[in-house]
Amino acid sequence: MNASKRHQIFSRLREQNPHPTTELEYSTPFELLIAVILSAQATDVGVNKATRKLFPVANTPELILSLGLENLKSYIRTIGLYNSKAENILKTCQLLIELHNSSVPSTREALEALPGVGRKTANVVLNTAFGQPTMAVDTHIFRVSNRTRIAPGKNVLEVENKLVRFIPTEFLLDAHHWLILHGRYVCIARKPKCGACIIEDLCEYKNKTEEA
C-alpha cells in the first residue's frame, strides 16, 4: 500500500461522508466519556438505549455519584459487564470532582488515570470531544487496516502507530470514524461486502467477494 493509494482511499471516504461522527449519543464531553466506558464489549445501539434513560436523570459527575451503585446499575443492567462498569464510573466521577473540577481532562495521561479508561477510550474522547488527531483502534479498525493493508500490524498499538504515521494529515481527524463505519457496515468480519465497497479497486485484500 503506497501513499497515493491511501490518499485516494481517504478522499473517497471523505467524499461519501464529509462529516463523520460517533454513533454514540452524547451532548457533553462527560456524557461521551461515560458512553465510551459503557461501550467496551457492547454495541453503540445498546449503550444508547441505556444512556437515553440515564442521562436525563444524571449527566454530571455529581448527579451520577448521587445515584449510588445499585441505582446506577439499574440503568445500565442491559449492558455487558455492567457491574464492573458501574463501579468504575462511580470512581471516575469521584476523581473528576476531586482532581479536575468536575470536567473531563483533555490529556491522555489524565484520562488513562481514570478507572475504566484505557488507551482506546482515551483516544475516542480526545478525538471526538476535543478534536485531537488520535486513532482509537477497535476490532473494526484493526480488521480494516490489516485487510486492506492501509496499516497492517500484529497488535492494536502497532496498527494505531502506523495509521497515525501513514494517514495524510488532512484526513487524520476524521479517519477514526470513517474506518469504524467502513468496518461496521461494509468491510464486515465474516464476509466483506466488496461489491458495494467504494475503495474495492484500491484495497489489497486478496480474497475479495462479490457481495453487495
Side-chain angles (χ1 to χ4, degrees):
M1 176 70 65
N2 59 38
S4 172
K5 268 191 184 179
R6 287 192 191 94
H7 195 280
Q8 288 181 71
I9 284 171
F10 286 100
S11 292
R12 289 185 194 178
L13 293 172
R14 180 173 63 187
E15 194 174 316
Q16 183 187 52
N17 185 3
H19 305 291
T21 189
T22 179
E23 293 188 320
L24 291 170
E25 295 171 2
Y26 73 99
S27 58
T28 65
F30 177 73
E31 287 185 0
L32 177 65
L33 174 63
I34 298 305
V36 180
I37 291 173
L38 291 173
S39 73
Q41 293 178 280
T43 66
D44 288 359
V45 171
V47 171
N48 289 338
K49 281 181 183 174
T51 57
R52 280 173 202 156
K53 294 175 182 174
L54 172 64
F55 288 158
V57 175
N59 69 340
T60 67
E62 291 83 358
L63 287 172
I64 284 187
L65 270 181
S66 70
L67 284 178
L69 186 60
E70 292 310 313
N71 269 340
L72 177 57
K73 284 183 184 178
S74 72
Y75 282 99
I76 65 171
R77 199 176 297 277
T78 53
I79 296 172
L81 309 174
Y82 73 92
N83 283 310
S84 60
K85 288 176 181 177
E87 290 179 9
N88 282 333
I89 285 170
L90 289 180
K91 290 174 188 171
T92 281
C93 288
Q94 190 68 51
L95 286 176
L96 290 176
I97 293 167
E98 291 174 2
L99 302 179
H100 303 289
N101 197 28
S102 298
S103 296
V104 176
S106 58
T107 67
R108 179 189 304 285
E109 294 73 24
L111 283 168
E112 289 189 18
L114 299 171
V117 178
R119 185 178 181 87
K120 186 178 80 174
T121 299
N123 279 339
V124 172
V125 173
L126 292 171
N127 178 269
T128 305
F130 298 114
Q132 297 183 25
T134 55
M135 187 62 58
V137 179
D138 67 352
T139 54
H140 297 301
I141 292 183
F142 187 79
R143 179 176 65 255
V144 171
S145 298
N146 276 289
R147 190 183 267 166
T148 61
R149 312 302 289 172
I150 289 172
K154 294 183 179 66
N155 56 56
V156 167
L157 190 57
E158 189 179 346
V159 169
E160 177 188 330
N161 290 335
K162 282 188 177 180
L163 285 169
V164 171
R165 195 163 79 242
F166 292 157
I167 293 173
T169 307
E170 64 180 291
F171 303 115
L172 201 48
L173 188 61
D174 291 322
H176 158 247
H177 296 305
W178 286 321
L179 292 173
I180 282 181
L181 294 170
H182 193 67
R184 190 173 283 166
Y185 297 112
V186 181
C187 198
I188 55 179
R190 291 200 173 179
K191 199 169 186 183
K193 300 177 180 179
C194 299
C197 178
I198 61 167
I199 61 169
E200 182 188 9
D201 58 314
L202 300 168
C203 165
E204 296 181 2
Y205 182 50
K206 290 185 171 64
N207 303 311
K208 289 183 178 153
T209 72
E210 298 300 318
E211 295 290 312

